[in-house]
Each structure stands twice: as C-alpha cells, then as structure tokens.
C-alpha cells in the first residue's frame, strides 16, 4: 500500500464527513472513493472511532495553525474576529460542506467519549483564541461594547457554528 494511503483516507473521510455528516458515510463508501478494499482501511484505522479521532486531530492542528497566522497578521482585534468568521465561511464550501467540528457536533450522540473529548478540546481552543481576540479588540478599541471576552467568545463560536448548520 502506498505510504500516502493514510493521508488520502483522512482527506477523503473529512470531505465525506463535512458534506454528509459522520454517520453519512461508511468504510465501504470510503473504500469506493479511495479505490481500495474496505479491509485495507482497517489496516490504518481499526474502527471508525480511530478514523474520527485522527480526522479531528488533523483538522484541529490545521485550524490552530490558521488562527495563529491570522492573529499574527491582524492589525487589531476586529480584523482578527473578521478573519475568524472568514475561516468558518470558507469551510462552507459554497453550501456543500460544513466545518468538520460542526459536522461532528451534529452527530455527537453517536460519537465515542474519546472523540467527544477531542471535539471539546477543539471548541475550548477556539473559545480561548476568540477570548484573546475580543480582549485585544476591547483594548485597541476596534471592537466596541465588549462585555466579558470569554462570554463574547462562547457566543461568537455558537453563532458561527449555528450559522453553518443553517447555511
């Protein structure tokens, strides 16, 4: 099996989960998309929970890097917050997909505890980043009427993730 098979499986599984939901695809669907036998997927990911965990960890790392870069290049808190909204807007793929974490959140009742823990870590990281952005915006006066940055952050994350579900 080529060494990039695992990466291809993760990429394809993420696309399927973002467009169909976690429960909207099976290993058979994934095998057909990648062009391998279902048994070959089990070599890389014994069970779907292992695949979900790997997808979330990969996605979290990508988003974290993107947000770190956004924070570095933003002139102020308002620009940072606008950039955050753009990250979620881009994840919509013109209405054909949602953020992986939104997709997993919608199927949370079907996820194993370990995957839910990783999903919670993603959300906690997003809220921490947003809290810093709101505090920066309040300090540099680019964002007005900031109450408690942590509360603003939790509300903002809920808004962008809920908007994705409606979008």
């Amino acid at each position: 099996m080529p060494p990039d098979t695992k990466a291809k499986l993760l990429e394809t599984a993420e696309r399927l989960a973002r467009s169909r939901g976690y429960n909207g695809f099976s290993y058979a669907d994934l095998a057909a998309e990648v062009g391998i036998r279902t048994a070959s997927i089990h070599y890389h990911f014994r069970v779907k929970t292992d695949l979900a965990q790997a997808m979330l960890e990969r996605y979290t790392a990508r988003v974290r890097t993107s947000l770190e870069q956004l924070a570095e290049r933003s002139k102020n808190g308002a620009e940072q917050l606008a950039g955050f909204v753009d990250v979620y807007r881009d994840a919509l793929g013109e209405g054909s997909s949602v953020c992986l974490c939104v997709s997993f959140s919608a199927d949370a009742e079907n996820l194993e505890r370990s995957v839910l823990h990783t999903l919670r870590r993603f959300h906690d990281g997003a809220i921490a980043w947003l809290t810093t952005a709101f505090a920066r915006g309040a300090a540099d006066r680019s964002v007005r009427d900031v109450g408690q940055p942590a509360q603003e952050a939790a509300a903002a994350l809920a808004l962008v993730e809920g908007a994705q579900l409606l979008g």
Side-chain angles (χ1 to χ4, degrees), residues 78-150:
E79 194 172 291
Q80 237 178 294
L81 293 168
F84 185 86
V85 171
D86 287 343
V87 167
Y88 272 80
R89 183 181 297 123
D90 292 345
L92 276 174
E94 297 181 20
S96 63
S97 66
V98 295
C99 163
L100 184 64
C101 291
V102 170
S103 174
F104 276 38
S105 292
D107 285 331
E109 70 278 354
N110 300 304
L111 299 174
E112 295 292 327
R113 211 172 248 171
S114 62
V115 177
L116 289 171
H117 178 72
T118 303
L119 184 60
R120 169 53 47 205
R121 280 194 345 250
F122 174 88
H123 288 128
D124 289 347
I127 289 171
W129 189 91
L130 283 165
T131 298
T132 301
F134 273 107
R136 181 180 177 189
D140 67 25
R141 301 190 195 290
S142 62
V143 180
R144 294 186 305 162
D145 300 325
V146 174
Q148 295 295 318

Side-chain angles (χ1 to χ4, degrees), residues 67-80:
L67 293 177
E68 287 169 358
Q69 292 170 349
L70 174 60
E72 288 174 11
R73 71 175 180 264
S74 296
K75 294 179 179 105
N76 55 45
E79 194 172 291
Q80 237 178 294

